[in-house]
Amino acid sequence: MEERRADIPYIDSSLRHILRVPKECYECSGIVVNGRRIKSLLFSTDIALIRNCDADAVFAVYPFTPQQAISNALISASYVPVFCGIGGGTTKGIRTVTQAKDVEAQGAMGVVLNAPISDLNLLAVSRAVDIPVIITVVNDRTDIAARLKAGASILNVAGGASTPALVAKIRADFPGVPIIASGGASSDSIRATVQAGANAITYTPPSTKELFSTMMAKYREL
């Protein structure tokens, strides 16, 4: 989380354990979407984590066919804006357009499309909704100019270990394009991604098992 300032009052719960986003995420500029600045996004569909995390937004992308029941549950449960995955790989065509319109009606702040989506399909989605359309970029072979022309509002760079280099290349070619990027598992990797030019960072939280381990260790000592 951001460093606490002496001139700002902080109110904490005596019962809630809040998962803190790494402070390095807040070194980026952020992206202002409809007046709200977003620097950190929780990459999760776990409602318990979503309800107990200090991230600025939720990045709800998952490896299953997108379903309205899932997006509705996540948006309803979240304190913060939710960006919803609507397919782009196995799910495409008119189904992605319908899904985009549905999650917009449910209150999503934006929609996320996977890298394989065609420019024509991307264009159809971008014309169907009045919320940002985020396109995922996984390598340097992506035609960024074509993606932007087809209506992409924000790039989601997910290049694994190559993410900082990919962000730097995109930033050099497109200085003003909004970039969300995966920060990796360490403070150093997050900082490297920010320094490469990412405007916002997606943070993958520890698993429930990992979070429970410390708590259970304490319980066993009682």
Side-chain angles (χ1 to χ4, degrees), residues 72 75 98-109 111 129 131:
N72 186 60
I75 293 167
T98 302
Q99 187 78 20
K101 295 175 71 174
D102 285 346
V103 300
E104 179 184 29
Q106 290 169 346
M109 177 169 271
V111 294
V129 295
I131 52 178

Side-chain angles (χ1 to χ4, degrees), residues 28 161 164 170:
C28 59
I170 295 171

Side-chain angles (χ1 to χ4, degrees), residues 8-73:
I8 298 177
Y10 293 85
I11 310 299
D12 295 312
S13 169
S14 59
L15 296 177
R16 295 190 183 186
H17 171 67
I18 301 299
L19 178 66
R20 307 291 183 183
V21 170
K23 65 180 185 301
E24 289 77 15
C25 294
Y26 294 99
E27 295 176 7
C28 59
S29 66
I31 299 172
V32 179
V33 181
N34 292 326
R36 182 187 291 267
R37 179 176 293 191
I38 295 170
K39 295 186 177 185
S40 61
L41 300 99
L42 183 73
F43 181 56
S44 179
T45 54
D46 187 315
I47 289 179
L49 286 175
I50 289 171
R51 291 284 292 189
N52 293 280
C53 180
D54 68 349
D56 298 325
V58 174
F59 206 71
V61 179
Y62 49 94
F64 304 100
T65 300
Q67 298 176 45
Q68 288 89 340
I70 295 175
S71 57
N72 186 60

